[in-house]
Amino acid sequence: HTNKALQVRNASQADGAEVVQFAPNGSQAQQWSLEPRTCVNPAPPTVLTVSTTACYRIVSRLSGKVLGVEGGAMDNGGPVRQR
């Protein structure tokens, strides 16, 4: 564990902005909320599946955009961006 926070690079509000780990600083670029969503099978790339009956989207407080794995990739190391 790095003890770093998830942050939108350069506090961007643009679609496709990269999300990186960064030293915690309390900025809105590091603040996120979980929004409950109806689960589908399979879950779309912008939905975090906690269990088979609970799914969430991770939403940036700064931009209101959701996290998603670029291109819906399922491989290790897939880049995460806001959209």
Side-chain angles (χ1 to χ4, degrees):
H1 189 283
T2 64
N3 290 319
K4 298 194 185 290
L6 198 59
Q7 175 175 313
V8 179
R9 186 180 295 279
N10 299 322
S12 175
Q13 295 188 39
D15 282 343
E18 185 178 25
V19 176
V20 297
Q21 61 178 350
F22 200 82
N25 59 29
S27 72
Q28 286 189 349
Q30 294 182 345
Q31 296 176 22
W32 306 88
S33 62
L34 295 177
E35 287 185 355
R37 289 289 185 230
T38 301
C39 294
V40 294
N41 190 7
T46 59
V47 175
L48 168 68
T49 305
V50 177
S51 75
T52 57
T53 59
C55 295
Y56 302 88
R57 293 189 325 167
I58 302 172
V59 182
S60 167
R61 180 173 180 197
L62 178 70
S63 68
K65 298 183 185 303
V66 299
L67 289 186
V69 178
E70 189 172 314
M74 298 176 73
D75 299 330
N76 290 337
V80 177
R81 302 192 182 275
Q82 70 176 2
R83 46 182 163 158

